[in-house]
Amino acid sequence: MPSTKEIKDRIESVRQTQKITSAMYLISSTKLRRAREDLEHTRPYFDALRAEIKRIFRTSSDIHSRYFYPPHEDDIKGGPYACLVITADKGLAGAYNQNAVKETLQVLEGHPGCKLFVVGEYGRHYFAQHHIPIEQSFLYTAQNPTLERAREISAILLDGFNRGAWKKLYIVYTDMESSLASAAKSTRLLPFHRAHFASADEDHSSDRFEFMPDMVTVLNNMVESYVSGFIYSALIDSFCSEQNARMTAMDAANENAQRLLDELSLQYNRVRQSAITLEITEVSAGAKAQRHKREAAASTRKDV
């Protein structure tokens, strides 16, 4: 049985760990709130941009652009493909990183030879350890997602797409569906399917627009901004999911630490009570032995 000193040391160690997990919980909650605010501030612009792309398709449904499937075609055969994977820079976030990696492996299984672009130290270390080649990794983007970083990533990916280095571009990120649920998902980012922007349910035959210098150039410029916005949204969404997962993990760690503290406190009280009882027993036995000794000595003197 451990001594009271050993139990006290263990209690102090658990309390120190609990302070760390509590601090991480508060930090994650603050980061989550700020990230949501940043996303809400920029989302209206990209929603309006998507609406304008829809307006272009209302004007002409036979637009030829490298960013869209050809008219009346549902797929583009052949490769190679590229995939942007968003993970975290740190662990202690539950199954957040593992789910993103698992989704990426499914994409690689369906598209052998896919070129990987990785955001986050966790993903970079995982693929390096498993000898999966990485085309490029983006440092410090996972813990500091900004629109500027999203544009840098978008420029690199669009450059390869425009040069024909890959025919399709996928993105793996974690979608925070609610504060209680999030899921890793893979989405084809390029090329777009026309149905994604078409509005066949509405009649806009009377809409007339003038494009300068031409419709395709305007559309291509808008799509580049839209892709940057999608990547930024995915970065923020993944970042929010990471912080939410870390909050859940730290909250569970705090509960486990408190449960362990309760058990250790109960054990400490039992050991302490046993030690006190043992001391009382020893004192009582010693006093009883001394009393018997005095009585024996007194009886001896009387006999003499």
Side-chain angles (χ1 to χ4, degrees), residues 96-124:
Y96 168 78
N97 288 303
Q98 290 84 348
N99 290 338
V101 169
K102 182 179 179 181
E103 187 68 24
T104 304
L105 294 178
Q106 292 180 357
V107 174
L108 294 178
E109 183 179 356
H111 307 288
C114 184
K115 299 181 182 297
L116 283 182
F117 293 82
V118 181
V119 173
E121 283 294 314
Y122 185 95
R124 186 178 69 84

Side-chain angles (χ1 to χ4, degrees), residues 27-293:
I27 292 172
S28 295
S29 63
T30 302
K31 289 183 177 180
L32 176 61
R33 184 178 65 255
R34 291 178 179 176
R36 283 178 170 175
E37 291 176 355
D38 292 341
L39 184 61
E40 291 300 324
H41 291 162
T42 56
R43 180 171 289 167
Y45 167 76
F46 297 107
D47 289 343
L49 193 62
R50 185 173 185 274
E52 292 304 313
I53 296 176
K54 278 188 175 183
R55 293 179 66 186
I56 292 178
F57 275 97
R58 295 170 193 161
T59 302
S60 175
S61 60
D62 295 329
I63 302 173
H64 293 274
S65 172
R66 59 182 177 274
Y67 297 124
F68 290 85
Y69 283 159
H72 313 298
E73 292 189 18
D74 294 332
D75 198 1
I76 296 178
K77 302 299 182 181
Y81 301 147
C83 181
L84 174 65
V85 184
I86 302 176
T87 62
D89 286 334
K90 302 176 183 178
L92 299 177
Y96 168 78
N97 288 303
Q98 290 84 348
N99 290 338
V101 169
K102 182 179 179 181
E103 187 68 24
T104 304
L105 294 178
Q106 292 180 357
V107 174
L108 294 178
E109 183 179 356
H111 307 288
C114 184
K115 299 181 182 297
L116 283 182
F117 293 82
V118 181
V119 173
E121 283 294 314
Y122 185 95
R124 186 178 69 84
H125 282 294
Y126 178 89
F127 295 121
Q129 290 176 356
H130 290 76
H131 308 289
I132 300 176
I134 299 175
E135 189 73 13
Q136 185 173 346
S137 60
F138 302 97
L139 302 178
Y140 311 116
T141 303
Q143 61 183 347
N144 185 26
T146 61
L147 185 56
E148 181 180 359
R149 293 181 184 273
R151 285 171 175 163
E152 293 174 359
I153 297 173
S154 175
I156 294 173
L157 297 177
L158 286 174
D159 178 67
F161 184 84
N162 294 334
R163 289 187 290 102
W166 42 80
K167 292 185 178 180
K168 288 184 181 180
L169 173 61
Y170 289 85
I171 180 171
V172 176
Y173 67 102
T174 306
D175 181 24
M176 186 173 174
E177 300 172 353
S178 67
S179 58
L180 300 177
S182 60
K185 59 172 57 178
S186 59
T187 302
R188 187 191 69 250
L189 186 55
L190 288 176
F192 292 112
H193 197 286
R194 295 168 182 268
H196 184 67
F197 293 97
S199 299
D201 56 331
E202 301 178 16
D203 183 14
H204 296 275
S205 57
S206 60
D207 292 347
R208 293 293 181 269
F209 304 100
E210 182 177 354
F211 300 93
M212 296 295 293
D214 57 74
M215 183 185 299
V216 175
T217 302
V218 172
L219 179 61
N220 289 342
N221 290 333
M222 294 177 68
V223 167
E224 291 177 1
S225 297
Y226 182 80
V227 170
S228 299
F230 191 98
I231 293 177
Y232 175 67
S233 177
L235 288 172
I236 293 292
D237 213 1
S238 297
F239 183 76
C240 290
S241 299
E242 175 195 350
Q243 301 307 320
N244 189 64
R246 184 166 290 114
M247 287 173 58
T248 302
M250 293 302 101
D251 186 54
N254 286 334
E255 292 181 358
N256 292 335
Q258 188 59 49
R259 189 180 302 112
L260 183 58
L261 285 174
D262 294 340
E263 294 176 358
L264 289 173
S265 297
L266 182 60
Q267 184 180 5
Y268 174 79
N269 291 332
R270 287 175 177 174
V271 172
R272 181 170 175 270
Q273 187 64 40
S274 298
I276 294 174
T277 303
L278 180 60
E279 290 179 0
I280 293 175
T281 303
E282 291 175 350
V283 171
S284 177
K288 186 176 181 180
Q290 290 295 327
R291 185 172 64 252
H292 288 168
K293 184 178 179 181

